[in-house]
Amino acid sequence: SYELTQPLSVSVALGQTARITCGGNNIGSKNVHWYQQKPGQAPVLVIYRDSNRPSGIPERFSGSNSGNTATLTIGGAQAGDEADYYCQVWDSARVFGTGTKVTVL
Amino acid sequence: QLQLQESGPGLVKPSETLSLTCTVSGGSISSSSYYWEWIRQPPGKGLEWIGNIYYSGSTYYNPSLRSRVTISGDTSKNQFSLKLNAVTAADTAVYYCGRVSGSGWPIDYWGQGTLVTVSS
C-alpha cells in the first residue's frame, strides 16, 4: 500500500517560514491535499490539488509538489498556525500522511 | 452552508458492532456531484480513511477494513451510516464523516467527530 512520510515535528519562529514535507513514491504524479488540525477539532482543508487555497485560507499557506516530495509552506507563521498538519493523496484509497506537529516559537 | 453531524453510541463492547450515522444538512446525499466518507482517528494518532458511498449507492472501502465495514445511505433522511463489525480496542477512535467531490479531490467538509470507545 502507498505510504506518505512526514516529519514528526517542525518548529518555526513567529513571523518566519515553516516548510512541512510529505514524501511518497512519485508523489509528484498525484494530487496532494493538506489539512490543518487543532486540538479537539476536525481537520480543515488548507491546500488542495498541490497548490490551491480554499476560500478563507490565508495567502501565507502555499503548496508545491514534485518528484517524491510535496511541501506545505507557511510564510510568516502566526501563533494560530500551531497545529497538526496532514498531507493526503488518493492511491486506490484515500491515504493520509503520518502528520506533523507545527510549533510556533 | 453544508453541515455534517455524526451520532451514535459512545461506548461499544468488544466483538460487537459499531454503528454511526452522519446527518447532512444544507445539501443532499442524492447529489451526483459528491461522495460521502468516513474517517477515523485513534486518540493521539493520525487519520485513517474508512470508506465512502456515492449517490448511486456504490461503496468503496479501505482494504485494511473491508471485511468488517459496511457503509449505507438513507436518502429519505439525508443520512449515511457506518457499521464496523467485530470491534476491538484498536477501533477506539474519533469517527468523522465528510464530503468529497471525487477520488482526486479532498475532503472539503467534515463533521465535528464523535468519540467511540471499545471497552467491556
Side-chain angles (χ1 to χ4, degrees):
Chain A
S1 61
Y2 195 79
E3 294 184 353
L4 295 172
T5 302
Q6 299 180 233
L8 197 58
S9 63
V10 167
S11 297
V12 58
L14 186 68
Q16 297 304 301
T17 297
R19 293 180 178 84
I20 306 159
T21 58
C22 176
N25 184 34
N26 197 26
I27 194 174
S29 67
K30 302 180 184 298
N31 292 308
V32 179
H33 317 302
W34 290 91
Y35 304 90
Q36 175 195 70
Q37 186 180 32
K38 296 182 179 179
Q41 299 183 18
V44 172
L45 180 68
V46 293
I47 291 289
Y48 67 96
R49 296 206 151 198
D50 297 344
S51 58
N52 298 280
R53 273 179 294 104
S55 174
I57 300 301
E59 290 184 9
R60 63 178 181 274
F61 288 90
S62 62
S64 63
N65 183 20
S66 178
N68 293 316
T69 305
T71 302
L72 173 68
T73 301
I74 309 174
Q78 305 297 307
D81 298 332
E82 276 206 350
D84 294 328
Y85 290 83
Y86 295 90
C87 56
Q88 180 255 300
V89 301
W90 179 268
D91 184 79
S92 300
R94 192 171 302 280
V95 180
F96 291 96
T98 50
T100 298
K101 182 176 181 60
V102 170
T103 300
V104 180
L105 305 172
Chain B
Q1 176 77 351
L2 186 76
Q3 291 187 322
L4 299 92
Q5 178 68 58
E6 305 89 350
S7 60
L11 181 64
V12 181
K13 290 182 168 55
S15 81
E16 296 190 345
T17 297
L18 179 159
S19 296
L20 295 174
T21 296
C22 181
T23 300
V24 178
S25 57
S28 172
I29 68 166
S30 300
S31 169
S32 61
S33 301
Y34 304 112
Y35 292 77
W36 304 92
E37 307 216 325
W38 287 99
I39 309 96
R40 70 180 183 178
Q41 184 173 37
K45 296 188 178 181
L47 299 164
E48 180 181 31
W49 181 71
I50 299 172
N52 65 30
I53 186 167
Y54 192 42
Y55 83 104
S56 61
S58 63
T59 53
Y60 200 81
Y61 301 133
N62 186 327
S64 68
L65 296 170
R66 182 179 293 137
S67 64
R68 297 194 293 132
V69 173
T70 302
I71 297 175
S72 59
D74 185 340
T75 55
S76 67
K77 296 181 180 179
N78 214 30
Q79 297 174 332
F80 62 104
S81 298
L82 168 70
K83 290 189 184 299
L84 181 64
N85 301 328
V87 298
T88 69
D91 295 310
T92 293
V94 175
Y95 286 76
Y96 296 99
C97 57
R99 187 194 81 170
V100 178
S101 298
S103 60
W105 291 87
I107 303 169
D108 55 1
Y109 283 92
W110 295 70
Q112 66 184 29
T114 187
L115 174 63
V116 179
T117 301
V118 178
S119 175
S120 55

